Amino acid sequence: MANVLFFFVAFVVLLFLDPHVEGSRLSLTHVDSAAQLTSAERFRRAARRSHSRRQAFEGKWSSPSTVVAVVDYAGDTEYVIDFGIGSPVLPATAILDTGSDLIWTQCVPCLDCLSQPSPYYDPSKSYTFSPVPCSSPFCSNRSLTDIGCGGDRCLYLASYGDGTESTGFLGTETFIFGDGSSIAGVTFGCGFQNNGSLSNSTGIVGMGRGPLSLPSQLNPRKFSYCLTPLDSSAASHLFLGSTASLGGNRGALIGSTPLISSPLTYFSTFYYLSLLGISLGGTRLPIPESVFQLKHDGSGGTIIDSGTFLTLLNQAGYDILREEIIKQVRKPAAELPEVIQDLGIDLCFSFHGASSLPPMPELVFHFQGADMRFPRDKYMAYHDELGLLCSVIVGTQSFSFSIFGNYQQQDMHILFDLEANVLSFVPANCNQL
């Protein structure tokens, strides 16, 4: 009887909830946090995921006209979030991805599903679930309706660069976050046929710029995150709505730069930044602005991505940076063992047996309106078992755009204001937020 009363009260409360969350704080868990791994192993696994993700990007940019379904990149990514879905509430753990839009979870009836840590969501058992009909505006997106409609339900096919796929139908549901915040009427995918990799999660939460992403379905449309270092045991955090504020970082200088959009709708998911140039040790590098510029045909540009570990720079710009690092360190680059070459990293210095690492020049990314400053440990990583200090910035020979990865975003509070089209950032101790 008590349970019945509880669910009745919950239902009444949900009826009066605003369909958009006013503010919420969620914990982010790194995909390798539960594994017993050394710091070096964590680094290598994350770097390999970066290259899987890079290959997915390469496929999208090289042949966009041949893609007939949603092609995103979340299978090989870095962070997952815990939340609840439905009424009664079912726990879910989903991959967080700023490079994709669709929110989806594995659903009953599971014709073909991946293993996950909690029961599969069953829409027939939730009194707050509603199917999205084919007449819905969300079904006007051709990439979500390539397999047509059935029973007046909007069907979708989502495929990801690592081979992960999900087939299902769209619905609306109530999402409940760990701090008790509820969002009613969220449009999401109910996947009944799924394969590939979900990093032991139940689905994917798209944080991109498309209409089906979580930020696009919130009011106000803003969010922020603060990522703890890779080897930290503390959780990272995602802030939605009114809780997304940098005001608590007292004494630190907040930088802001415009978020720009691709001229091609096909690439509208991504958060582009205007990277104008790079300095090292006070020396502005002779990199033409056009190297990082977003072109009129949609090529080039620089995106910020939470799901890519390494920073991937247009090769022309990276080659100049690499040469300058070697020049200012005044030490020859080390011969790379195969385990490092496999990560795509091509610049390391040997400090095997050294009692301490030497200081290195400050690296600065010059964005339109703001500079991001990085000390040595934000662009170099030490592999103690190899005695190598290696760059976490690599070149991209096979495509022209650049990706600002999450290693350099660690211990930085980053705010996406999608109404003002501005990205703001400030150095922070993310484990203390």
Side-chain angles (χ1 to χ4, degrees), residues 209-229:
R209 305 192 74 175
L212 284 168
S213 73
L214 187 62
S216 293
Q217 296 191 57
L218 298 181
N219 186 19
R221 292 177 56 203
K222 65 176 180 176
F223 68 94
S224 67
Y225 55 71
C226 203
L227 306 178
T228 56

Side-chain angles (χ1 to χ4, degrees), residues 63-135:
S63 56
S65 62
T66 64
V67 179
V68 295
V70 179
V71 180
D72 299 314
Y73 319 93
D76 282 300
T77 190
E78 299 295 300
Y79 295 92
V80 295
I81 61 173
D82 294 323
F83 60 95
I85 181 172
S87 307
V89 179
L90 186 73
T93 300
I95 292 170
L96 181 81
D97 187 41
T98 55
S100 65
D101 294 327
L102 183 65
I103 306 164
W104 65 269
T105 191
Q106 299 194 107
C107 290
V108 173
C110 260
L111 303 181
D112 184 13
C113 285
L114 302 164
S115 61
Q116 64 178 47
S118 59
Y120 297 113
Y121 167 77
D122 186 346
S124 69
K125 294 183 178 178
S126 173
Y127 52 76
T128 48
F129 170 81
S130 295
V132 171
C134 294
S135 58

Side-chain angles (χ1 to χ4, degrees), residues 367-389:
F367 293 101
Q368 181 181 341
D371 291 340
M372 276 191 186
R373 301 181 179 276
F374 307 103
R376 179 197 64 200
D377 294 342
K378 281 294 188 73
Y379 67 96
M380 305 292 291
Y382 186 61
H383 302 261
D384 53 359
E385 80 281 15
L386 300 173
L388 294 176
L389 184 65

Side-chain angles (χ1 to χ4, degrees), residues 273-275 288-296 299-302 400:
L273 304 177
S274 183
L275 178 59
E289 287 189 8
S290 59
V291 168
F292 302 122
Q293 186 177 10
L294 179 62
K295 310 298 192 301
H296 293 299
S299 63
T302 302
S400 63

Side-chain angles (χ1 to χ4, degrees), residues 74-369:
D76 282 300
T77 190
E78 299 295 300
Y79 295 92
V80 295
I81 61 173
D82 294 323
F83 60 95
I85 181 172
S87 307
V89 179
L90 186 73
T93 300
I95 292 170
L96 181 81
D97 187 41
T98 55
S100 65
D101 294 327
L102 183 65
I103 306 164
W104 65 269
T105 191
Q106 299 194 107
C107 290
V108 173
C110 260
L111 303 181
D112 184 13
C113 285
L114 302 164
S115 61
Q116 64 178 47
S118 59
Y120 297 113
Y121 167 77
D122 186 346
S124 69
K125 294 183 178 178
S126 173
Y127 52 76
T128 48
F129 170 81
S130 295
V132 171
C134 294
S135 58
S136 166
F138 283 126
C139 267
S140 62
N141 184 335
R142 176 62 182 166
S143 64
L144 286 179
T145 57
D146 280 306
I147 55 176
C149 293
D152 196 34
R153 289 191 176 188
C154 180
L155 302 177
Y156 75 88
L157 169 61
S159 61
Y160 297 81
D162 67 335
T164 299
E165 291 186 340
S166 176
T167 300
F169 55 88
L170 295 184
T172 61
E173 184 55 283
T174 296
F175 281 56
I176 301 92
F177 297 123
D179 61 358
S181 300
S182 296
I183 310 176
V186 175
T187 299
F188 76 110
C190 199
F192 52 75
Q193 189 162 357
N194 316 288
N195 58 71
S197 172
L198 284 177
S199 301
N200 199 36
S201 72
T202 65
I204 290 171
V205 172
M207 299 291 291
R209 305 192 74 175
L212 284 168
S213 73
L214 187 62
S216 293
Q217 296 191 57
L218 298 181
N219 186 19
R221 292 177 56 203
K222 65 176 180 176
F223 68 94
S224 67
Y225 55 71
C226 203
L227 306 178
T228 56
L230 182 66
D231 57 358
S232 173
S233 59
S236 301
H237 290 96
L238 170 69
F239 302 89
L240 303 172
S242 61
T243 62
S245 170
L246 305 185
N249 300 280
R250 296 180 180 177
L253 181 63
I254 296 175
S256 296
T257 185
L259 286 169
I260 56 180
S261 299
S262 171
L264 299 181
T265 303
Y266 190 70
F267 300 130
S268 61
T269 292
F270 307 113
Y271 297 97
Y272 285 89
L273 304 177
S274 183
L275 178 59
L276 304 178
I278 298 175
S279 292
L280 185 70
T283 299
R284 182 72 175 249
L285 305 186
I287 304 174
E289 287 189 8
S290 59
V291 168
F292 302 122
Q293 186 177 10
L294 179 62
K295 310 298 192 301
H296 293 299
D297 64 357
S299 63
T302 302
I303 65 172
I304 181 170
D305 182 34
S306 67
T308 303
F309 178 66
L310 301 174
T311 289
L312 312 176
L313 287 185
N314 178 300
Q315 192 69 41
Y318 171 73
D319 287 342
I320 295 172
L321 173 61
R322 183 182 188 277
E323 181 180 349
E324 186 66 22
I325 291 175
I326 295 172
K327 177 182 176 181
Q328 294 197 27
V329 172
R330 299 179 181 178
K331 184 178 177 68
E335 184 175 343
L336 302 179
E338 186 175 347
V339 67
I340 293 296
Q341 294 182 43
D342 288 346
L343 304 180
I345 292 172
D346 70 351
L347 178 59
C348 295
F349 299 97
S350 178
F351 292 100
H352 199 279
S355 58
S356 62
L357 295 176
M360 289 187 65
E362 181 184 58
L363 176 70
V364 181
F365 279 12
H366 301 287
F367 293 101
Q368 181 181 341

